[in-house]
């Protein structure tokens, strides 16, 4: 894969920045995977131990940052969460394996085995299923599967892969001091700070301060908005970006695109990519014609961490935690899957009523606090603040897919299916032209159901965010985009992929915006009050 370096733009508004050093995490050692049973033919994934592909840049960065901003101090972890002994230490005997599913019999057997052994499913596509498990559990799993379904090893050492995602020892983390006055740092230096920010994954406190800094730097373009509070009382914050518009009686609804990340705590690349998009869009305004025009006609709301409790927990206790941290009816099984918690076609299947399941969305729709907060915020924006959601991009990892509604069933097609498919193809093409990376296109139902509805389903598809925004708020271009990679690293994508992933999605977002501008942001309908199923489809020939 090629690494693309993003050229950050200068800005005249400035705010002083302070760099602090973060706690270093020790590397967990783990043994390589051994072939387990049935003549498994593992395909080893070769990784390097080099934690930084730019050693000279790293040395220059650290030196310059101390000269400009002073010596770094230490960031202490939150007092209410004890840090893990070492990143990935609890996974030192785990591997990730792939099963290439070819028929309903194999899918049914795999589904039953996953339920019986409570496996952690990492990826579901039409063709394969990736599972994390302890090496000693491999024989038990294989004993429940047909001989036609041998596994391929994707990640032979999960603990080692986990350690690579944390900041390197001695690498300073970034913190922004809100109390200092503007004018201390030049525009060129601010560009350098953005380089620092995207060279590592950043913890929750740093991301929050980063967003507040951007609001201070661009007060006429960006406004902080609070989506709500998480179960543990953390702020769920977003940044609304767009040119000021006339408000008041008779004003047209402000068309809005929502971009979210971090619904699942362990998917760090989704959070970093939303932050990258936020920075790229803000700094492109006034310099790139399409972005400038887009922000004249649309607001874009960026929410990098929709699940702050889960994200924080992945930094402090369990790197592979997926769900929220909400209490459930089962004392030892905390957390709800936010992407199965929304009210549209919520499903009470066995996957979603077992609190220990990674897909548990609650015992009723919107039981998950964070999903309810997002839905209530969005409805309030429409009703009270004259907004109209026309696009929704929900970023996840992994498998490099562009997915569109519906997630809950493959038996029902969305009314504007042709347009959804057309735009999905364009998004995938924009990514491929920017980096060469292929992204596949599919209905979101195919991941959960694999289009074989007669077999037991590996994961339920109801209650998804993209279905709810599409159907309930009529965000006519609603997508879940699964970012890098296709399995070599899975959720443990090394930090060297942050900038390339951000660049891919920035190019996709520009295509998305251009498409909406060509359609005037909405589809034609005979009446805004008509049910979604009765609204007409846009004439593609009218697009400019």
């Amino acid at each position: 894969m090629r690494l693309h370096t993003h050229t950050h733009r200068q800005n005249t508004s400035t705010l002083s920045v302070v760099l602090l050093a973060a706690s270093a995490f020790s590397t967990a050692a783990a043994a390589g995977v051994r072939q387990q049973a049935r003549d498994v033919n593992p395909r080893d994934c070769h990784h390097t131990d080099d934690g930084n592909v730019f050693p000279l840049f790293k040395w220059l960065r650290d030196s310059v940052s101390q000269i400009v901003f002073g010596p770094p101090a230490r960031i202490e972890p939150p007092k209410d969460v004890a840090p893990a002994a070492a990143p990935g230490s609890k996974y030192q005997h785990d591997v990730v394996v792939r099963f290439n599913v070819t028929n309903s019999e194999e899918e049914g057997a795999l589904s039953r085995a996953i339920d019986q052994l409570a496996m952690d499913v990492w990826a579901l596509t039409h063709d394969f299923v990736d599972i994390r498990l302890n090496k000693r559990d491999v024989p038990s799993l294989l004993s429940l599967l047909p001989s036609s379904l041998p596994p391929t090893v994707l990640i032979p050492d999960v603990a080692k892969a986990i350690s690579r995602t944390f900041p390197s020892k001695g690498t300073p983390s970034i913190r922004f001091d809100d109390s200092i006055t503007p004018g201390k740092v030049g525009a060129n230096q601010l560009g350098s700070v953005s380089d620092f920010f995207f060279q590592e994954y950043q913890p929750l406190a740093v991301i929050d301060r980063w967003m507040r800094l951007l609001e201070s730097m661009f007060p006429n373009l960006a406004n902080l908005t609070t989506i709500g509070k998480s179960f543990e009382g953390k702020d769920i914050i977003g940044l609304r970006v767009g040119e000021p518009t006339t408000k008041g009686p008779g004003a047209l609804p402000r068309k809005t695109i929502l971009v979210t990340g971090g619904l699942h705590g362990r998917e760090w690349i989704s959070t970093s990519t939303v932050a990258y998009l936020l920075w790229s869009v803000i700094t492109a305004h006034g310099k790139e014609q399409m972005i400038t025009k887009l922000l004249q006609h649309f607001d874009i709301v960026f929410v990098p961490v929709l699940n702050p409790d889960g994200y924080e927990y992945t930094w402090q206790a369990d790197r592979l935690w997926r769900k929220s941290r909400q209490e459930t009816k089962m004392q030892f099984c905390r957390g709800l899957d936010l992407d199965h918690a929304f009210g549209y076609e919520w499903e009470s299947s066995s996957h979603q009523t077992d609190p220990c399941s990674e897909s548990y969305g609650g015992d009723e729709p919107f039981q998950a606090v964070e999903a309810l907060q997002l839905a209530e915020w969005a409805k309030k924006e429409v009703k009270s603040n004259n907004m109209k959601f026309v696009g929704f991009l929900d970023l996840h990892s992994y498998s490099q897919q562009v997915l569109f509604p519906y997630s809950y069933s493959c038996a029902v097609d969305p009314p504007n299916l042709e347009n959804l498919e057309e735009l999905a193809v364009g998004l995938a093409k924009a990514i491929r032209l920017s980096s060469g990376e292929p992204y596949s296109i599919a209905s979101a139902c195919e991941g959960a159901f694999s289009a074989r509805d007669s077999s037991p389903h590996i994961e339920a598809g109801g209650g998804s965010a993209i279905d709810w925004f599409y159907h309930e708020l009529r965000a006519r271009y609603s997508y879940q985009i699964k970012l890098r990679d296709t399995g070599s690293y899975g959720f443990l994508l090394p930090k060297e992929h942050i900038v390339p992933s951000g660049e891919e999605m920035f190019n996709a977002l520009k295509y998305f915006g251009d498409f909406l501008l060509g359609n005037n942001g909405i589809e034609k309908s005979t009446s805004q009050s008509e049910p979604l199923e009765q609204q007409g489809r846009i004439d593609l020939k009218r697009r400019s």
Side-chain angles (χ1 to χ4, degrees):
M1 297 183 183
R2 300 193 303 270
L3 276 179
H4 294 264
T5 303
H6 179 53
T7 303
H8 293 279
R9 302 97 179 161
Q10 295 183 354
N11 179 66
T12 56
S13 300
T14 61
L15 187 68
S16 180
V17 180
V18 177
L19 294 175
L20 297 176
S23 300
F25 294 88
S26 59
T27 302
V33 69
R34 297 184 298 272
Q35 184 169 323
Q36 298 293 331
R38 292 194 186 162
D39 298 323
V40 178
N41 182 24
R43 176 169 55 86
D44 293 331
C45 300
H46 300 285
H47 306 278
T48 64
D49 290 324
D50 184 8
N52 196 310
V53 296
F54 302 120
L56 179 59
F57 172 79
K58 181 178 182 298
W59 177 82
L60 289 171
R61 177 192 66 190
D62 296 348
S63 301
V64 171
S65 67
Q66 293 196 33
I67 293 172
V68 175
F69 305 108
R74 183 179 180 83
I75 295 178
E76 297 296 336
K79 295 180 180 179
D80 58 338
V81 181
S89 58
K90 67 180 291 186
Y91 299 106
Q92 59 182 324
H93 301 298
D94 285 13
V95 297
V96 176
V97 297
R98 170 168 293 178
F99 293 92
N100 293 298
V101 181
T102 60
N103 56 59
S104 59
E105 178 187 358
E106 292 176 347
E107 182 180 355
L110 186 57
S111 176
R112 289 186 291 269
I114 289 170
D115 285 343
Q116 182 174 335
L117 300 176
M119 297 291 179
D120 179 14
V121 177
W122 275 32
L124 289 168
T125 73
H126 183 73
D127 299 315
F128 63 81
V129 178
D130 295 348
I131 300 172
R132 176 192 60 80
L133 73 166
N134 191 290
K135 284 183 282 188
R136 63 174 173 263
D137 293 332
V138 171
S140 298
L141 175 59
L142 295 182
S143 69
L144 301 173
L145 301 177
S147 58
S148 62
L149 202 57
T152 299
V153 176
L154 294 179
I155 303 178
D157 191 335
V158 170
K160 191 173 184 180
I162 285 175
S163 69
R164 291 195 184 97
T165 63
F166 283 91
S168 304
K169 185 176 181 180
T171 300
S173 229
I174 304 174
R175 181 181 176 184
F176 307 104
D177 189 339
D178 300 327
S179 66
I180 51 184
T181 56
K184 300 295 184 182
V185 182
N188 288 337
Q189 294 165 340
L190 279 173
S192 299
V193 170
S194 69
D195 288 334
F196 305 156
F197 185 85
F198 296 113
Q199 290 302 317
E200 300 279 2
Y201 291 109
Q202 302 295 344
L204 181 64
V206 172
I207 294 170
D208 285 354
R209 292 187 180 98
W210 169 259
M211 294 175 70
R212 296 179 194 280
L213 172 68
L214 291 181
E215 182 189 37
S216 299
M217 289 167 56
F218 303 89
N220 295 323
L221 195 64
N223 293 283
L224 206 68
T225 180
T226 300
I227 306 299
K229 295 278 189 181
S230 69
F231 174 78
E232 294 180 344
K234 298 181 181 68
D235 285 332
I236 305 170
I237 63 174
L239 204 64
R240 184 194 311 276
V241 181
E243 291 190 3
T245 58
T246 303
K247 298 181 180 180
L252 294 175
R254 180 65 169 174
K255 293 172 287 188
T256 302
I257 302 165
L258 177 63
V259 183
T260 59
L263 268 76
H264 296 143
R266 63 190 177 187
E267 297 174 10
W268 286 8
I269 191 61
S270 71
T271 289
S272 291
T273 301
V274 174
Y276 192 95
L277 288 175
L278 169 58
W279 171 257
S280 298
V281 167
I282 285 180
T283 54
H285 178 262
K287 300 175 179 63
E288 294 192 26
Q289 183 177 1
M290 200 289 297
I291 293 293
T292 303
K293 184 178 179 181
L294 180 64
L295 296 182
Q296 290 170 350
H297 293 86
F298 294 82
D299 283 348
I300 309 178
V301 180
F302 297 91
V303 185
V305 191
L306 192 60
N307 177 13
D309 298 346
Y311 185 75
E312 180 79 356
Y313 194 72
T314 63
W315 278 83
Q316 301 298 336
D318 184 351
R319 173 64 180 85
L320 294 180
W321 186 262
R322 167 184 166 96
K323 300 186 287 183
S324 69
R325 292 293 298 162
Q326 187 168 335
E327 294 175 352
T328 69
K329 61 188 178 184
M330 231 176 215
Q331 181 180 358
F332 300 106
C333 293
R334 295 185 62 141
L336 286 78
D337 181 354
L338 300 188
D339 202 33
H340 287 135
F342 287 81
Y344 182 67
E345 293 294 338
W346 183 88
E347 181 180 357
S348 58
S349 70
S350 60
H351 297 284
Q352 287 185 239
T353 55
D354 175 10
C356 297
S357 168
E358 293 287 358
S359 300
Y360 175 61
D363 292 328
E364 60 184 10
F366 287 119
Q367 182 179 337
V369 169
E370 295 81 4
L372 178 61
Q373 293 287 293
L374 181 65
E376 292 297 324
W377 168 83
K379 289 189 291 186
K380 182 180 178 182
E381 292 294 297
V382 171
K383 183 176 180 180
S384 303
N385 294 332
N386 201 28
M387 283 176 50
K388 177 177 175 57
F389 287 96
V390 296
F392 178 41
L393 298 177
D394 183 24
L395 304 192
H396 286 257
S397 69
Y398 62 95
S399 67
Q400 297 185 189
Q401 292 182 290
V402 180
L403 306 177
F404 50 83
Y406 290 111
S407 177
Y408 78 92
S409 174
C410 288
V412 181
D413 288 335
N416 65 330
L417 176 61
E418 294 175 3
N419 301 121
L420 285 167
E421 290 177 329
E422 180 195 9
L423 179 50
V425 169
L427 296 175
K429 182 177 180 180
I431 292 172
R432 180 173 55 81
L433 291 177
S434 71
S435 67
E437 288 295 321
Y439 275 60
S440 61
I441 310 300
S443 170
C445 69
E446 294 186 21
F449 292 89
S450 193
R452 289 183 280 268
D453 289 335
S454 61
S455 64
H457 304 320
I458 293 175
E459 181 177 315
S464 73
I466 62 169
D467 283 4
W468 188 85
F469 272 91
Y470 177 81
H471 189 273
E472 299 298 331
L473 290 193
R474 308 208 170 147
R476 304 308 305 279
Y477 296 100
S478 181
Y479 296 92
Q480 182 181 105
I481 301 182
K482 295 194 175 183
L483 305 169
R484 295 188 179 194
D485 61 1
T486 56
S488 296
Y489 299 101
F491 299 124
L492 304 174
L493 198 67
K495 60 193 176 185
E496 289 81 15
H497 290 262
I498 294 174
V499 171
S501 293
E503 279 295 289
E504 287 174 356
M505 277 309 302
F506 184 48
N507 281 279
L509 181 61
K510 287 193 285 188
Y511 185 92
F512 189 85
D514 187 61
F515 186 96
L516 292 183
L517 287 168
N519 284 325
N520 296 319
I522 59 173
E523 292 196 294
K524 306 298 182 183
S525 65
T526 57
S527 171
Q528 289 285 355
S529 61
E530 280 185 346
L532 182 66
E533 288 77 6
Q534 297 178 16
Q535 292 185 16
R537 297 181 179 180
I538 192 168
D539 182 354
L540 298 180
K541 295 180 180 179
R542 287 203 297 265
R543 288 193 63 239
S544 58

